[in-house]
mmCIF file with all atom_site columns, all heavy atoms in Angstrom:
data_model
loop_
_atom_site.group_PDB
_atom_site.id
_atom_site.type_symbol
_atom_site.label_atom_id
_atom_site.label_alt_id
_atom_site.label_comp_id
_atom_site.label_asym_id
_atom_site.label_entity_id
_atom_site.label_seq_id
_atom_site.pdbx_PDB_ins_code
_atom_site.Cartn_x
_atom_site.Cartn_y
_atom_site.Cartn_z
_atom_site.occupancy
_atom_site.B_iso_or_equiv
_atom_site.pdbx_formal_charge
_atom_site.auth_seq_id
_atom_site.auth_comp_id
_atom_site.auth_asym_id
_atom_site.auth_atom_id
_atom_site.pdbx_PDB_model_num
ATOM 1   N N   . ARG A 1 323 ? -3.945  63.797 26.312 1.00 0.00 ? 481 ARG A N   1
ATOM 2   C CA  . ARG A 1 323 ? -2.778  63.940 25.442 1.00 0.00 ? 481 ARG A CA  1
ATOM 3   C C   . ARG A 1 323 ? -2.991  65.113 24.497 1.00 0.00 ? 481 ARG A C   1
ATOM 4   O O   . ARG A 1 323 ? -4.093  65.322 23.980 1.00 0.00 ? 481 ARG A O   1
ATOM 5   C CB  . ARG A 1 323 ? -2.530  62.664 24.626 1.00 0.00 ? 481 ARG A CB  1
ATOM 6   C CG  . ARG A 1 323 ? -1.336  62.782 23.689 1.00 0.00 ? 481 ARG A CG  1
ATOM 7   C CD  . ARG A 1 323 ? -1.058  61.509 22.932 1.00 0.00 ? 481 ARG A CD  1
ATOM 8   N NE  . ARG A 1 323 ? -0.015  61.699 21.930 1.00 0.00 ? 481 ARG A NE  1
ATOM 9   C CZ  . ARG A 1 323 ? 0.429   60.754 21.118 1.00 0.00 ? 481 ARG A CZ  1
ATOM 10  N NH1 . ARG A 1 323 ? -0.079  59.534 21.180 1.00 0.00 ? 481 ARG A NH1 1
ATOM 11  N NH2 . ARG A 1 323 ? 1.378   61.026 20.237 1.00 0.00 ? 481 ARG A NH2 1
ATOM 12  N N   . ARG A 1 324 ? -1.926  65.848 24.319 1.00 0.00 ? 482 ARG A N   1
ATOM 13  C CA  . ARG A 1 324 ? -1.917  66.929 23.339 1.00 0.00 ? 482 ARG A CA  1
ATOM 14  C C   . ARG A 1 324 ? -0.583  66.882 22.610 1.00 0.00 ? 482 ARG A C   1
ATOM 15  O O   . ARG A 1 324 ? 0.471   67.164 23.207 1.00 0.00 ? 482 ARG A O   1
ATOM 16  C CB  . ARG A 1 324 ? -2.130  68.294 23.994 1.00 0.00 ? 482 ARG A CB  1
ATOM 17  C CG  . ARG A 1 324 ? -2.238  69.437 23.003 1.00 0.00 ? 482 ARG A CG  1
ATOM 18  C CD  . ARG A 1 324 ? -2.477  70.761 23.705 1.00 0.00 ? 482 ARG A CD  1
ATOM 19  N NE  . ARG A 1 324 ? -2.548  71.874 22.760 1.00 0.00 ? 482 ARG A NE  1
ATOM 20  C CZ  . ARG A 1 324 ? -3.662  72.303 22.182 1.00 0.00 ? 482 ARG A CZ  1
ATOM 21  N NH1 . ARG A 1 324 ? -4.811  71.706 22.457 1.00 0.00 ? 482 ARG A NH1 1
ATOM 22  N NH2 . ARG A 1 324 ? -3.649  73.321 21.345 1.00 0.00 ? 482 ARG A NH2 1
ATOM 23  N N   . ASP A 1 325 ? -0.646  66.481 21.366 1.00 0.00 ? 483 ASP A N   1
ATOM 24  C CA  . ASP A 1 325 ? 0.549   66.347 20.538 1.00 0.00 ? 483 ASP A CA  1
ATOM 25  C C   . ASP A 1 325 ? 1.542   65.363 21.155 1.00 0.00 ? 483 ASP A C   1
ATOM 26  O O   . ASP A 1 325 ? 1.229   64.196 21.281 1.00 0.00 ? 483 ASP A O   1
ATOM 27  C CB  . ASP A 1 325 ? 1.174   67.721 20.295 1.00 0.00 ? 483 ASP A CB  1
ATOM 28  C CG  . ASP A 1 325 ? 0.201   68.657 19.584 1.00 0.00 ? 483 ASP A CG  1
ATOM 29  O OD1 . ASP A 1 325 ? -0.576  68.168 18.744 1.00 0.00 ? 483 ASP A OD1 1
ATOM 30  O OD2 . ASP A 1 325 ? 0.201   69.859 19.889 1.00 0.00 ? 483 ASP A OD2 1
ATOM 31  N N   . VAL A 1 326 ? 2.708   65.811 21.604 1.00 0.00 ? 484 VAL A N   1
ATOM 32  C CA  . VAL A 1 326 ? 3.748   64.885 22.055 1.00 0.00 ? 484 VAL A CA  1
ATOM 33  C C   . VAL A 1 326 ? 3.764   64.689 23.569 1.00 0.00 ? 484 VAL A C   1
ATOM 34  O O   . VAL A 1 326 ? 4.622   63.970 24.096 1.00 0.00 ? 484 VAL A O   1
ATOM 35  C CB  . VAL A 1 326 ? 5.139   65.381 21.605 1.00 0.00 ? 484 VAL A CB  1
ATOM 36  C CG1 . VAL A 1 326 ? 5.210   65.456 20.093 1.00 0.00 ? 484 VAL A CG1 1
ATOM 37  C CG2 . VAL A 1 326 ? 5.471   66.733 22.224 1.00 0.00 ? 484 VAL A CG2 1
ATOM 38  N N   . ILE A 1 327 ? 2.843   65.297 24.293 1.00 0.00 ? 485 ILE A N   1
ATOM 39  C CA  . ILE A 1 327 ? 2.821   65.206 25.753 1.00 0.00 ? 485 ILE A CA  1
ATOM 40  C C   . ILE A 1 327 ? 1.506   64.571 26.202 1.00 0.00 ? 485 ILE A C   1
ATOM 41  O O   . ILE A 1 327 ? 0.427   64.918 25.702 1.00 0.00 ? 485 ILE A O   1
ATOM 42  C CB  . ILE A 1 327 ? 2.990   66.589 26.415 1.00 0.00 ? 485 ILE A CB  1
ATOM 43  C CG1 . ILE A 1 327 ? 4.330   67.203 26.016 1.00 0.00 ? 485 ILE A CG1 1
ATOM 44  C CG2 . ILE A 1 327 ? 2.907   66.475 27.939 1.00 0.00 ? 485 ILE A CG2 1
ATOM 45  C CD1 . ILE A 1 327 ? 4.549   68.593 26.573 1.00 0.00 ? 485 ILE A CD1 1
ATOM 46  N N   . GLY A 1 328 ? 1.594   63.645 27.154 1.00 0.00 ? 486 GLY A N   1
ATOM 47  C CA  . GLY A 1 328 ? 0.400   63.003 27.693 1.00 0.00 ? 486 GLY A CA  1
ATOM 48  C C   . GLY A 1 328 ? 0.532   62.794 29.184 1.00 0.00 ? 486 GLY A C   1
ATOM 49  O O   . GLY A 1 328 ? 1.635   62.750 29.740 1.00 0.00 ? 486 GLY A O   1
ATOM 50  N N   . VAL A 1 329 ? -0.612  62.664 29.852 1.00 0.00 ? 487 VAL A N   1
ATOM 51  C CA  . VAL A 1 329 ? -0.660  62.345 31.278 1.00 0.00 ? 487 VAL A CA  1
ATOM 52  C C   . VAL A 1 329 ? -1.747  61.294 31.488 1.00 0.00 ? 487 VAL A C   1
ATOM 53  O O   . VAL A 1 329 ? -2.692  61.187 30.700 1.00 0.00 ? 487 VAL A O   1
ATOM 54  C CB  . VAL A 1 329 ? -0.944  63.588 32.150 1.00 0.00 ? 487 VAL A CB  1
ATOM 55  C CG1 . VAL A 1 329 ? 0.190   64.587 32.067 1.00 0.00 ? 487 VAL A CG1 1
ATOM 56  C CG2 . VAL A 1 329 ? -2.268  64.237 31.745 1.00 0.00 ? 487 VAL A CG2 1
ATOM 57  N N   . ALA A 1 330 ? -1.618  60.525 32.556 1.00 0.00 ? 488 ALA A N   1
ATOM 58  C CA  . ALA A 1 330 ? -2.627  59.537 32.914 1.00 0.00 ? 488 ALA A CA  1
ATOM 59  C C   . ALA A 1 330 ? -2.495  59.243 34.397 1.00 0.00 ? 488 ALA A C   1
ATOM 60  O O   . ALA A 1 330 ? -1.448  59.493 35.009 1.00 0.00 ? 488 ALA A O   1
ATOM 61  C CB  . ALA A 1 330 ? -2.468  58.256 32.091 1.00 0.00 ? 488 ALA A CB  1
ATOM 62  N N   . GLY A 1 331 ? -3.587  58.690 34.980 1.00 0.00 ? 489 GLY A N   1
ATOM 63  C CA  . GLY A 1 331 ? -3.512  58.377 36.402 1.00 0.00 ? 489 GLY A CA  1
ATOM 64  C C   . GLY A 1 331 ? -4.819  57.887 36.969 1.00 0.00 ? 489 GLY A C   1
ATOM 65  O O   . GLY A 1 331 ? -5.822  57.691 36.254 1.00 0.00 ? 489 GLY A O   1
ATOM 66  N N   . GLU A 1 332 ? -4.816  57.723 38.285 1.00 0.00 ? 490 GLU A N   1
ATOM 67  C CA  . GLU A 1 332 ? -5.971  57.187 39.016 1.00 0.00 ? 490 GLU A CA  1
ATOM 68  C C   . GLU A 1 332 ? -5.867  57.603 40.474 1.00 0.00 ? 490 GLU A C   1
ATOM 69  O O   . GLU A 1 332 ? -4.766  57.631 41.041 1.00 0.00 ? 490 GLU A O   1
ATOM 70  C CB  . GLU A 1 332 ? -5.992  55.665 38.890 1.00 0.00 ? 490 GLU A CB  1
ATOM 71  C CG  . GLU A 1 332 ? -6.960  54.934 39.799 1.00 0.00 ? 490 GLU A CG  1
ATOM 72  C CD  . GLU A 1 332 ? -6.674  53.453 39.854 1.00 0.00 ? 490 GLU A CD  1
ATOM 73  O OE1 . GLU A 1 332 ? -6.316  52.863 38.811 1.00 0.00 ? 490 GLU A OE1 1
ATOM 74  O OE2 . GLU A 1 332 ? -6.804  52.866 40.940 1.00 0.00 ? 490 GLU A OE2 1
ATOM 75  N N   . LEU A 1 333 ? -7.008  57.914 41.092 1.00 0.00 ? 491 LEU A N   1
ATOM 76  C CA  . LEU A 1 333 ? -7.104  58.183 42.520 1.00 0.00 ? 491 LEU A CA  1
ATOM 77  C C   . LEU A 1 333 ? -8.215  57.316 43.083 1.00 0.00 ? 491 LEU A C   1
ATOM 78  O O   . LEU A 1 333 ? -9.256  57.138 42.434 1.00 0.00 ? 491 LEU A O   1
ATOM 79  C CB  . LEU A 1 333 ? -7.400  59.662 42.787 1.00 0.00 ? 491 LEU A CB  1
ATOM 80  C CG  . LEU A 1 333 ? -6.356  60.679 42.293 1.00 0.00 ? 491 LEU A CG  1
ATOM 81  C CD1 . LEU A 1 333 ? -6.894  62.097 42.448 1.00 0.00 ? 491 LEU A CD1 1
ATOM 82  C CD2 . LEU A 1 333 ? -5.046  60.523 43.043 1.00 0.00 ? 491 LEU A CD2 1
ATOM 83  N N   . PHE A 1 334 ? -8.031  56.782 44.296 1.00 0.00 ? 492 PHE A N   1
ATOM 84  C CA  . PHE A 1 334 ? -9.072  55.922 44.851 1.00 0.00 ? 492 PHE A CA  1
ATOM 85  C C   . PHE A 1 334 ? -9.119  56.018 46.371 1.00 0.00 ? 492 PHE A C   1
ATOM 86  O O   . PHE A 1 334 ? -8.130  56.367 47.027 1.00 0.00 ? 492 PHE A O   1
ATOM 87  C CB  . PHE A 1 334 ? -8.851  54.470 44.443 1.00 0.00 ? 492 PHE A CB  1
ATOM 88  C CG  . PHE A 1 334 ? -7.764  53.771 45.220 1.00 0.00 ? 492 PHE A CG  1
ATOM 89  C CD1 . PHE A 1 334 ? -8.038  53.121 46.421 1.00 0.00 ? 492 PHE A CD1 1
ATOM 90  C CD2 . PHE A 1 334 ? -6.458  53.764 44.761 1.00 0.00 ? 492 PHE A CD2 1
ATOM 91  C CE1 . PHE A 1 334 ? -7.036  52.484 47.146 1.00 0.00 ? 492 PHE A CE1 1
ATOM 92  C CE2 . PHE A 1 334 ? -5.448  53.126 45.465 1.00 0.00 ? 492 PHE A CE2 1
ATOM 93  C CZ  . PHE A 1 334 ? -5.744  52.484 46.675 1.00 0.00 ? 492 PHE A CZ  1
ATOM 94  N N   . VAL A 1 335 ? -10.261 55.683 46.922 1.00 0.00 ? 493 VAL A N   1
ATOM 95  C CA  . VAL A 1 335 ? -10.448 55.404 48.344 1.00 0.00 ? 493 VAL A CA  1
ATOM 96  C C   . VAL A 1 335 ? -11.213 54.092 48.417 1.00 0.00 ? 493 VAL A C   1
ATOM 97  O O   . VAL A 1 335 ? -12.082 53.817 47.577 1.00 0.00 ? 493 VAL A O   1
ATOM 98  C CB  . VAL A 1 335 ? -11.220 56.525 49.075 1.00 0.00 ? 493 VAL A CB  1
ATOM 99  C CG1 . VAL A 1 335 ? -10.374 57.780 49.159 1.00 0.00 ? 493 VAL A CG1 1
ATOM 100 C CG2 . VAL A 1 335 ? -12.539 56.820 48.384 1.00 0.00 ? 493 VAL A CG2 1
ATOM 101 N N   . ALA A 1 336 ? -10.904 53.273 49.415 1.00 0.00 ? 494 ALA A N   1
ATOM 102 C CA  . ALA A 1 336 ? -11.495 51.936 49.452 1.00 0.00 ? 494 ALA A CA  1
ATOM 103 C C   . ALA A 1 336 ? -11.444 51.368 50.859 1.00 0.00 ? 494 ALA A C   1
ATOM 104 O O   . ALA A 1 336 ? -10.687 51.849 51.721 1.00 0.00 ? 494 ALA A O   1
ATOM 105 C CB  . ALA A 1 336 ? -10.761 50.999 48.492 1.00 0.00 ? 494 ALA A CB  1
ATOM 106 N N   . ASP A 1 337 ? -12.243 50.327 51.072 1.00 0.00 ? 495 ASP A N   1
ATOM 107 C CA  . ASP A 1 337 ? -12.226 49.569 52.313 1.00 0.00 ? 495 ASP A CA  1
ATOM 108 C C   . ASP A 1 337 ? -12.378 48.094 51.963 1.00 0.00 ? 495 ASP A C   1
ATOM 109 O O   . ASP A 1 337 ? -13.287 47.720 51.203 1.00 0.00 ? 495 ASP A O   1
ATOM 110 C CB  . ASP A 1 337 ? -13.359 50.015 53.237 1.00 0.00 ? 495 ASP A CB  1
ATOM 111 C CG  . ASP A 1 337 ? -13.227 49.431 54.630 1.00 0.00 ? 495 ASP A CG  1
ATOM 112 O OD1 . ASP A 1 337 ? -12.191 48.773 54.909 1.00 0.00 ? 495 ASP A OD1 1
ATOM 113 O OD2 . ASP A 1 337 ? -14.148 49.602 55.451 1.00 0.00 ? 495 ASP A OD2 1
ATOM 114 N N   . ASN A 1 338 ? -11.507 47.271 52.475 1.00 0.00 ? 496 ASN A N   1
ATOM 115 C CA  . ASN A 1 338 ? -11.508 45.828 52.215 1.00 0.00 ? 496 ASN A CA  1
ATOM 116 C C   . ASN A 1 338 ? -11.417 45.534 50.706 1.00 0.00 ? 496 ASN A C   1
ATOM 117 O O   . ASN A 1 338 ? -12.068 44.619 50.209 1.00 0.00 ? 496 ASN A O   1
ATOM 118 C CB  . ASN A 1 338 ? -12.774 45.172 52.788 1.00 0.00 ? 496 ASN A CB  1
ATOM 119 C CG  . ASN A 1 338 ? -12.879 45.338 54.289 1.00 0.00 ? 496 ASN A CG  1
ATOM 120 O OD1 . ASN A 1 338 ? -11.862 45.395 54.985 1.00 0.00 ? 496 ASN A OD1 1
ATOM 121 N ND2 . ASN A 1 338 ? -14.099 45.435 54.798 1.00 0.00 ? 496 ASN A ND2 1
ATOM 122 N N   . ALA A 1 339 ? -10.606 46.316 50.015 1.00 0.00 ? 497 ALA A N   1
ATOM 123 C CA  . ALA A 1 339 ? -10.437 46.138 48.569 1.00 0.00 ? 497 ALA A CA  1
ATOM 124 C C   . ALA A 1 339 ? -9.146  45.393 48.275 1.00 0.00 ? 497 ALA A C   1
ATOM 125 O O   . ALA A 1 339 ? -8.493  45.644 47.262 1.00 0.00 ? 497 ALA A O   1
ATOM 126 C CB  . ALA A 1 339 ? -10.447 47.487 47.875 1.00 0.00 ? 497 ALA A CB  1
ATOM 127 N N   . ASP A 1 340 ? -8.775  44.442 49.146 1.00 0.00 ? 498 ASP A N   1
ATOM 128 C CA  . ASP A 1 340 ? -7.542  43.695 48.942 1.00 0.00 ? 498 ASP A CA  1
ATOM 129 C C   . ASP A 1 340 ? -7.587  42.842 47.688 1.00 0.00 ? 498 ASP A C   1
ATOM 130 O O   . ASP A 1 340 ? -6.545  42.526 47.104 1.00 0.00 ? 498 ASP A O   1
ATOM 131 C CB  . ASP A 1 340 ? -7.241  42.824 50.156 1.00 0.00 ? 498 ASP A CB  1
ATOM 132 C CG  . ASP A 1 340 ? -8.467  42.069 50.655 1.00 0.00 ? 498 ASP A CG  1
ATOM 133 O OD1 . ASP A 1 340 ? -9.552  42.661 50.688 1.00 0.00 ? 498 ASP A OD1 1
ATOM 134 O OD2 . ASP A 1 340 ? -8.333  40.878 51.018 1.00 0.00 ? 498 ASP A OD2 1
#
Side-chain angles (χ1 to χ4, degrees):
R481 179 178 173 180
R482 185 179 178 90
D483 300 325
V484 299
I485 299 177
V487 295
E490 169 194 322
L491 299 172
F492 77 88
V493 291
D495 190 6
N496 299 329
D498 45 319

